[in-house]
Amino acid sequence: MIRRLSKITTRACTVESHFSLTPATGSKLFQPTAGALAVQVPVVQFDENNATVLEIFGQHKELVSLPVVERQRPIGLISRHIFMSQMSKPYHRELYERKSCIAFMDKDPLIVEADTPIETLGALAVASGDKTLADGFLIVEQGRLAGLGAGLALMRELVAMQEEKNRQVMQSIDYASVIQRAMLSASRAAMTEALADACLVWEPRDVVGGDFYHFEPHPGGWFAAVADCTGHGVPGAFLTLIASSSLKQALELHGPHDPARLMREVNRSMKRVLGQHGQSGKPSESDDGMDACFFWFDSAARTLTSSSANMPLFLLVADGTEVLTVEGKRAGLGYVDTPDDMQWDNHSQHLAPGAMIFVCTDGVIDQIGGPKHIAFGKQRLRRTLLEHGHLPMPALGRRVAEIHAHYQGTQRRRDDLCFFGVRLDAALQDSQHGTHA
């Protein structure tokens, strides 16, 4: 008996040393299976007695559990903790030492094939209960014992796999952020070149976001849009690609002078892309869309024509004494409940030199904060514009962002944040002025 155990012990140490390297390095190279966790350990035959079990546990202090086999096929598992606690009771050693080892054997341990994926094994281990994590599980190849798996080793492998998945996902999202920012950069550059006194702040709540902006200079004026797509993060970012593409196509076909018509076209396009026409009679799998404000400024006539879907536009009059709010229609673009033939309205205002336009997504207005834990709100935004409207637009943008962040305090950011502002005292960019906060 002692010679047989010595051979097993030597082989077990070799396998365990190799096994300890496998989860750390192999999981990044291939999908690991249960076989990677198999450690060869001493075993006991089903017809041996508890004295043999006691001897094995005494020789192998590190052994947590002992497999019981019948012709190399596992039939149960003896937990060191349970076995030793039973044998230490008064008279139990005298009563059970010569009895079969199956007396204290778990007859229903978790047994898995060596080619079982680690993730599947993790689910099986959780389903089988705490005993598997504490005492381990048996790994077989074609029914024959290949080794004992430890619950702690399984948890380490699962954590390593999850960390690798998270790393890959974050790498993908980081690169998606690069793509999204590149998509927006052309509009920012065009705004910088065309407007002498403007600010533009775009802050996604996560790495990527569902808010976007668009700016185009045209002969005789410029067109701008601020939009808030459903959600934030990756889903919101996907929608910005659809919405931005729809807007660019509408501008190419119809020009920038009629924002309400552009809204109608973008609404139809988004519903078509998202499959929300409902022609099949089945409910759409998606009810997504966007709120937005489109506006065209005619430089010669100094006329602002705007159309809005659930997004107000704020106008600070030239003398800085009043903020006017232009409310849009309470219907978003692209949603299931928004009809294909939905009509938005244009609103036109003549703006004197020095007047200011400001438009923002609801990430600004709806942010919870302050001592009463209520929304920032339109009224607080209007007061901020009145109080600081004399500042150059880049400085005003920074001030609005600072006040908003201070109001948010320790509250979590609820949504993406985007706002655009311009003072209409010049039509072309002065090289000495900046344009974004």
Side-chain angles (χ1 to χ4, degrees):
M1 175 65 70
I2 299 298
R3 286 197 300 273
R4 180 170 67 85
L5 288 175
S6 298
K7 291 179 181 179
I8 293 176
T9 304
T10 303
R11 185 173 56 171
C13 292
T14 303
V15 174
E16 188 168 9
S17 175
H18 171 74
F19 160 75
S20 66
L21 297 177
T22 303
T25 58
S27 61
K28 297 181 181 180
L29 301 177
F30 60 89
Q31 280 292 333
T33 60
L37 303 179
V39 177
Q40 292 188 11
V41 295
V43 299
V44 62
Q45 296 294 328
F46 76 100
D47 55 356
E48 295 188 89
N49 58 30
N50 288 316
T52 303
V53 175
L54 196 61
E55 180 184 2
I56 295 173
F57 278 139
Q59 291 179 345
H60 299 274
K61 303 297 185 183
E62 78 290 348
L63 193 60
V64 175
S65 296
L66 179 65
V68 181
V69 299
E70 181 179 3
R71 292 189 291 276
Q72 299 184 344
R73 295 179 180 275
I75 63 170
L77 196 62
I78 300 175
S79 164
R80 170 192 285 273
H81 173 71
I82 295 175
F83 180 84
M84 300 304 287
S85 64
Q86 289 293 327
M87 294 297 284
S88 64
K89 291 181 179 179
Y91 308 113
H92 271 52
R93 183 164 183 173
E94 291 80 0
L95 288 172
Y96 292 102
E97 192 173 47
R98 297 302 172 186
K99 291 189 177 181
S100 170
C101 64
I102 65 174
F104 301 120
M105 179 185 76
D106 175 8
K107 298 178 177 63
D108 188 29
L110 177 62
I111 303 176
V112 295
E113 286 288 341
D115 60 357
T116 303
I118 289 292
E119 290 183 335
T120 303
L121 173 56
L124 292 172
V126 171
S128 65
D130 295 343
K131 68 174 184 178
T132 297
L133 298 179
D135 299 335
F137 47 92
L138 298 166
I139 303 168
V140 297
E141 290 186 22
Q142 298 180 346
R144 296 177 179 272
L145 182 65
L148 181 68
L152 181 58
L154 172 61
M155 293 300 103
R156 286 173 177 164
E157 185 66 22
L158 288 170
V159 169
M161 290 174 61
Q162 190 60 51
E163 287 176 347
E164 177 64 14
K165 287 183 178 180
N166 291 343
R167 185 186 67 82
Q168 292 176 358
V169 169
M170 286 309 303
Q171 283 183 339
S172 298
I173 294 175
D174 287 341
Y175 191 68
S177 175
V178 173
I179 295 173
Q180 188 174 42
R181 291 175 187 275
M183 179 189 75
L184 298 172
S185 64
S187 287
R188 184 181 287 274
M191 186 200 74
T192 302
E193 184 176 353
L195 302 180
D197 195 16
C199 69
L200 177 60
V201 170
W202 178 79
E203 294 181 0
R205 193 196 76 167
D206 306 310
V207 181
V208 291
D211 289 359
F212 76 95
Y213 53 85
H214 185 79
F215 183 90
E216 288 184 7
H218 289 268
W222 49 265
F223 173 87
V226 173
D228 179 4
C229 295
T230 305
H232 38 73
V234 174
F238 268 114
L239 276 178
T240 66
L241 297 176
I242 296 171
S244 178
S245 176
S246 298
L247 175 57
K248 290 175 182 177
Q249 290 176 8
L251 283 164
E252 290 176 2
L253 289 173
H254 305 291
H257 302 92
D258 188 349
R261 181 175 184 178
L262 292 173
M263 285 216 163
R264 294 195 296 271
E265 294 300 322
V266 172
N267 176 56
R268 294 191 187 101
S269 177
M270 290 186 68
K271 289 178 73 68
R272 182 172 60 253
V273 172
L274 295 173
Q276 295 177 357
H277 285 284
Q279 295 174 346
S280 64
K282 296 180 180 180
S284 172
E285 294 182 3
S286 161
D287 187 13
D288 302 299
M290 73 173 182
D291 300 336
C293 184
F294 299 168
F295 42 104
W296 161 256
F297 182 69
D298 186 315
S299 301
R302 302 198 66 81
T303 301
L304 177 73
T305 303
S306 64
S307 185
S308 180
N310 280 327
M311 187 177 293
L313 181 144
F314 302 93
L315 298 173
L316 180 65
V317 298
D319 62 6
T321 60
E322 184 180 7
V323 175
L324 305 176
T325 304
V326 181
E327 298 283 359
K329 182 163 287 188
R330 299 192 65 80
L333 284 68
Y335 293 97
V336 170
D337 292 339
T338 304
D340 287 3
D341 57 354
M342 185 71 189
Q343 300 291 317
W344 282 268
D345 303 317
N346 282 324
H347 300 272
S348 295
Q349 289 89 18
H350 178 79
L351 300 177
M356 183 180 73
I357 302 169
F358 189 93
V359 63
C360 66
T361 60
D362 61 7
V364 177
I365 296 170
D366 293 345
Q367 177 60 50
I368 298 298
K372 295 182 179 180
H373 305 298
I374 58 176
F376 189 78
K378 296 177 186 177
Q379 187 61 35
R380 188 173 281 101
L381 177 58
R382 282 191 285 263
R383 289 200 303 267
T384 301
L385 296 177
L386 280 172
E387 183 178 354
H388 303 284
H390 63 283
L391 296 172
M393 291 306 297
L396 174 62
R398 290 190 293 272
R399 188 65 186 135
V400 170
E402 290 168 358
I403 291 172
H404 191 265
H406 182 266
Y407 183 82
Q408 176 184 335
T410 58
Q411 294 286 329
R412 68 178 183 88
R413 172 72 68 82
R414 294 173 63 89
D415 203 351
D416 305 314
L417 184 150
C418 181
F419 62 79
F420 165 78
V422 58
R423 181 172 283 107
L424 301 171
D425 56 355
L428 297 176
Q429 164 70 345
D430 184 333
S431 62
Q432 296 181 352
H433 288 79
T435 60
H436 58 81

